[in-house]
Amino acid sequence: MAESESQIYHERQRLQFCLLHSLNNLFQEKDAFTRENLNSIAEKLVDDDPNKETWTPLSLLLKPHHNTLTGNYDVNVMITALEGKGKSVVWHDKRSGASSIDLNDADALMGIVLNVPVKRYGGLWKSRHWVVVRRINGVWYNLDSDLVVPQMFKDEDEVRGFLDQNLSLGGEVLLVNNNA
């Protein structure tokens, strides 16, 4: 493991808490976000929703913005959590491809969050997974919580290839910007 890799914070996947792990990997900090933080955001989003659905027995488990059993959170929770830390999130127009993303603007671009389709258990379980790509000390890394260790990209072309591949498979790309 290279010296710089040993200094990279990388949380591994537990249940479906990939958004929690992704956000902590993005911020390179163990408790940048906690389950309690994200649950609170999800609850507030429900409380603030003028079109609240009526209560059903399943409402205790399958809430509009997260699943209380598995920890799976939606994009609204992610955007609200990041805005709470002074970041802005921009959906990347997939028609433009990754070539239109300015990977060199380290002051503006904190990192990239992908939401990708996944199939598990021989295709029986279909869901989505949150993945973070971030530049650390001038090097881009894939900080996917499903990986054993972060994967270093050799250059920006490889980052763009990774992003384009995920876009072609139905992934969504969100740019996380530092607000100046």
Side-chain angles (χ1 to χ4, degrees):
M1 183 179 294
E3 178 64 30
S4 62
E5 288 179 28
S6 65
Q7 298 171 3
I8 295 172
Y9 180 77
H10 180 247
E11 276 186 19
R12 297 282 317 281
Q13 182 76 21
R14 263 187 37 251
L15 298 173
Q16 286 186 310
F17 288 103
C18 55
L19 179 62
L20 172 64
H21 305 310
S22 293
L23 290 172
N24 288 339
N25 289 342
L26 178 68
F27 278 83
Q28 289 292 286
E29 187 180 324
K30 181 178 191 288
D31 288 319
F33 296 93
T34 64
R35 285 173 62 178
E36 292 75 21
N37 297 143
L38 298 183
N39 287 345
S40 175
I41 290 168
E43 293 295 330
K44 182 162 178 21
L45 288 169
V46 170
D47 291 344
D48 292 348
D49 185 354
N51 302 314
K52 278 187 235 183
E53 295 180 26
T54 58
W55 184 89
T56 68
L58 278 179
S59 299
L60 293 174
L61 298 177
L62 304 173
K63 301 192 177 194
H65 300 288
H66 79 291
N67 180 314
T68 55
L69 286 179
T70 63
N72 198 7
Y73 298 95
D74 76 4
V75 69
N76 298 298
V77 173
M78 182 197 72
I79 290 171
T80 303
L82 288 168
E83 287 175 347
K85 295 269 190 182
K87 308 300 175 191
S88 63
V89 179
V90 177
W91 287 82
H92 176 66
D93 184 348
K94 61 175 64 180
R95 297 170 298 181
S96 302
S99 62
S100 65
I101 300 172
D102 185 359
L103 297 175
N104 292 312
D105 192 354
D107 291 333
L109 183 63
M110 179 186 194
I112 301 169
V113 178
L114 294 90
N115 187 253
V116 297
V118 291
K119 292 179 185 175
R120 299 185 196 275
Y121 311 112
L124 295 175
W125 177 269
K126 294 179 184 178
S127 66
R128 297 193 68 87
H129 180 65
W130 295 104
V131 176
V132 165
V133 175
R134 179 172 176 185
R135 182 193 306 249
I136 301 170
N137 299 324
V139 178
W140 283 95
Y141 289 90
N142 179 347
L143 300 172
D144 185 346
S145 61
D146 275 344
L147 297 173
V148 176
V149 296
Q151 288 184 342
M152 182 174 67
F153 291 102
K154 67 180 181 203
D155 57 25
E156 291 173 1
D157 286 339
E158 191 175 23
V159 175
R160 286 189 180 94
F162 175 78
L163 297 174
D164 279 333
Q165 177 187 19
N166 279 284
L167 285 168
S168 72
L169 296 172
E172 299 290 338
V173 171
L174 299 104
L175 308 176
V176 180
N177 295 309
N178 296 308
N179 289 339

